[in-house]
Amino acid sequence: MSNIDLSINFAGIKAPNPFWLASAPPTNSGYQVMKAFEAGWGGAVWKTLGVPVQNVSSRYGAINYRDTRMAGLNNIELITDRPLADNLREIEEVKKHFPNHAVIASLMVESKKEWFQIVKDVENAGADGIELNFGCPHGMCERGMGSAVGQEPEVLNTIVQWVMQAASIPVITKLTPNISDITDPALAAVRGGSSALSLINTIKSIVGIDLDTYAPYPIVDGKGTNGGYCGPAVKPIALHMLKELAGHPEIRNTPISGIGGIETWRDVVEFILLGATSVQVCTAVMHYGFGIVREMEAGLRQFMSDKGYSSIYDFAGKAVPNVVEWKHLNLHYKVVASINADKCIGCQLCHIACDDGAHQAIALPSNGSRVPEIIDENCVGCNLCSLVCPVEDCITMERRDDGSKTETWAERTVLGKIPEHFNDPRGGGVGHFVPEPSAALNYKRKDRSGRK
Ligand SMILES: Cc1cc2nc3c(=O)[nH]c(=O)nc-3n(C[C@H](O)[C@H](O)[C@H](O)COP(=O)(O)O)c2cc1C
Ligand code: SF4
Ligand code: SF4
């Protein structure tokens, strides 16, 4: 693993590795950022600077899903509440101790004059780059900043241009996911001259309602407000939006910093495979501390060694061409579920899921065993049973077509082979087994096999 070099040059911002802290409570102070660098983080985006705010007490709510605490985190915190001078002094001190680490100043102000001033201030303090916070979906957006800018591509474009006029260091535009098409603000940022992009900021959310006070969490004296959602639960949304940008012809050459639910080295690799060349982490550090970077680094190095990569640029974006539109998927590809009887614990959850939620393709055994049976000819290969089965690799999906035929919806459309009216026999489900409706009435008494 000795030839592996994790260092990056992200739009001109150099860092010893791609692991950065996202702008949030873990980057609130010089103490935290230096402690993080000591632990192994390669960069930090400072808690957003601007006119210092007043925060409320009681700020976070969470989704605790079964045994997993903070599967999703929601916050109603604003930008920094510390004076700018204190933050600038600490940025300067951090850079003195860690000249080769990346310190990026996240900024959010209102007027052109304020943008010009704060850009110069953070440059003078020695920041290596600037991140524009156009994402905060609570509090600041009510004042015309944060996601209020991220949701208005024209306004965003104007502010990016102001900053680019003033800045001599690289500028990253951080996008809000609270928008229907992420490419609109991304294009506005790229066309405004932004050196790089980062995403996602938090998703507008309400995590729950207290059943005694009827107030949303987090509760502030009997009331609440929508917050910003993040943590492991948001990763799929972040990956999708990342792919939208990394695969876009006008955006893909702009470096992207990936953010959203990153907790392990696998998450890091997935973001890099979809085109990110640095990653940022907030919730996982708030949950487990700065030490998680050690597992991230060891895992990333092992992955790269196994695959023969020496730099993250060797595999950045390699998954992007594999994410295609639905119409380009092979309609002849066919998988069928298969149960490994030696692993099965007989819980029969797969039967219930398939019978009630899928395609009546798993029969209960009639021979006294508890291991269900797949009815191959009924199985559509939806994966549901393999997803609900509590035993790892007990249900696997096996390929049944011979791989010789490929035909996509797009190709069928050109050939005029697609269904065109409600009862068109060219629909995919025609001839597929479904039980008679009345079979539901005596489900318990009859043979449950569902066989034709
Ligand atoms: C409590 C809290 C405060 C945050 N404050 C900021 C902020 O000041 N500026 C900013 O750009 N993003 C802020 N964020 C958003 C994070 O930087 C990050 O985009 C988001 O949490 C998604 O990453 P994660 O899933 O790793 O937490 C904050 C997030 C949390 C949880
Ligand atoms: S869900 Fe898995 S373990 Fe449970 S009966 Fe089905 S195959 Fe067996
Ligand atoms: S893959 Fe879907 S259809 Fe096939 S057995 Fe499993 S749940 Fe049923």
Side-chain angles (χ1 to χ4, degrees):
M1 283 201 251
S2 53
N3 65 339
I4 290 176
D5 176 8
L6 291 187
S7 67
I8 56 165
N9 182 338
F10 182 87
I13 303 171
K14 293 190 180 129
N17 63 48
F19 312 119
W20 293 359
L21 295 173
S23 173
T27 58
N28 205 28
S29 64
Y31 164 77
Q32 288 163 292
V33 172
M34 298 238 281
K35 195 175 168 199
F37 287 171
E38 284 280 286
W41 293 87
V45 186
W46 210 272
K47 174 76 188 168
T48 301
L49 307 175
V51 176
V53 298
Q54 168 70 57
N55 271 307
V56 287
S57 178
S58 177
R59 297 180 199 175
Y60 309 148
I63 296 290
N64 297 327
Y65 191 71
R66 304 264 163 89
D67 294 338
T68 307
R69 297 193 67 79
M70 272 170 55
L73 176 70
N74 159 291
N75 86 89
I76 57 170
E77 185 178 293
L78 306 180
I79 63 171
T80 188
D81 53 7
R82 305 179 66 215
L84 182 63
D86 292 359
N87 282 303
L88 295 176
R89 184 170 32 78
E90 292 180 17
I91 289 175
E92 213 172 327
E93 197 175 332
V94 172
K95 278 309 296 179
K96 268 193 200 121
H97 283 87
F98 293 92
N100 299 323
H101 283 58
V103 175
I104 294 129
S106 169
L107 306 180
M108 188 199 287
V109 287
E110 251 184 302
S111 67
K112 185 174 182 180
K113 194 168 157 223
E114 284 172 321
W115 278 108
F116 270 60
Q117 181 63 51
I118 201 162
V119 165
K120 285 295 152 214
D121 287 344
V122 298
E123 284 191 359
N124 290 337
D128 300 293
I130 289 167
E131 186 177 82
L132 309 179
N133 179 350
F134 295 150
C136 183
H138 45 267
M140 305 312 289
C141 54
E142 295 165 21
R143 304 172 202 178
M145 292 179 273
S147 64
V149 175
Q151 288 165 337
E152 290 295 339
E154 274 184 38
V155 181
L156 182 150
N157 176 275
T158 303
I159 299 180
V160 170
Q161 289 191 50
W162 292 346
V163 173
M164 296 318 295
Q165 279 169 36
S168 57
I169 54 178
V171 175
I172 306 167
T173 302
K174 183 172 181 181
L175 302 176
T176 177
N178 300 299
I179 187 154
S180 47
D181 186 351
I182 195 69
T183 58
D184 290 342
L187 278 171
V190 170
R191 288 172 187 165
S194 186
S195 331
L197 299 168
S198 61
L199 83 170
I200 58 172
N201 208 310
T202 53
I203 301 171
K204 212 165 187 170
S205 63
I206 291 176
V207 282
I209 300 287
D210 184 272
L211 297 191
D212 294 318
T213 62
Y214 307 157
Y217 302 116
I219 302 170
V220 182
D221 197 14
K223 296 267 186 283
T225 186
N226 73 270
Y229 199 47
C230 52
V234 310
K235 187 181 110 179
I237 296 159
L239 285 176
H240 162 70
M241 292 189 166
L242 171 61
K243 174 256 142 193
E244 290 288 282
L245 304 193
H248 191 287
E250 204 182 323
I251 303 170
R252 64 175 162 232
N253 292 328
T254 304
I256 307 170
S257 188
I259 318 169
I262 297 172
E263 191 170 289
T264 68
W265 69 267
R266 282 180 163 275
D267 301 328
V268 172
V269 170
E270 287 171 17
F271 273 78
I272 295 174
L273 284 170
L274 275 184
T277 46
S278 83
V279 292
Q280 300 184 27
V281 181
C282 162
T283 304
V285 165
M286 292 178 71
H287 198 161
Y288 302 110
F290 296 128
I292 61 166
V293 75
R294 286 191 286 275
E295 182 269 356
M296 279 182 186
E297 180 170 342
L300 177 61
R301 282 185 183 280
Q302 189 63 54
F303 170 82
M304 290 171 65
S305 165
D306 292 348
K307 303 282 184 191
Y309 299 133
S310 51
S311 146
I312 68 156
Y313 299 102
D314 292 344
F315 64 101
K318 271 199 183 291
V320 176
N322 293 332
V323 190
V324 295
E325 284 184 87
W326 191 98
K327 66 184 176 194
H328 298 308
L329 299 175
N330 181 9
L331 296 168
H332 288 296
Y333 180 74
K334 166 90 177 143
V335 289
V336 164
S338 169
I339 295 176
N340 181 337
D342 293 336
K343 291 192 171 187
C344 175
I345 56 170
C347 68
Q348 302 188 342
L349 198 51
C350 54
H351 162 75
I352 294 169
C354 187
D355 217 62
D356 292 1
H359 293 274
Q360 302 81 48
I362 302 185
L364 291 179
S366 48
N367 58 4
S369 152
R370 286 199 56 87
V371 181
E373 293 163 25
I374 305 290
I375 306 161
D376 280 15
E377 59 272 30
N378 293 1
C379 175
V380 301
C382 72
N383 293 348
L384 180 65
C385 54
S386 69
L387 300 177
V388 301
C389 177
V391 183
E392 195 73 24
D393 292 333
C394 174
I395 302 184
T396 48
M397 303 304 296
E398 291 181 355
R399 186 164 187 176
R400 291 296 165 82
D401 69 303
D402 63 7
S404 61
K405 280 200 277 182
T406 305
E407 193 177 31
T408 66
W409 182 263
E411 287 162 348
R412 276 195 193 173
T413 306
V414 173
L415 296 172
K417 284 166 63 182
I418 58 168
E420 280 165 0
H421 56 85
F422 292 136
N423 295 308
D424 197 319
R426 290 173 294 186
V430 172
H432 195 271
F433 169 77
V434 288
E436 286 302 317
S438 58
L441 303 177
N442 47 9
Y443 164 80
K444 281 207 170 73
R445 274 172 281 134
K446 268 184 65 179
D447 167 42
R448 300 177 187 174
S449 70
R451 283 180 195 280
K452 282 195 249 188

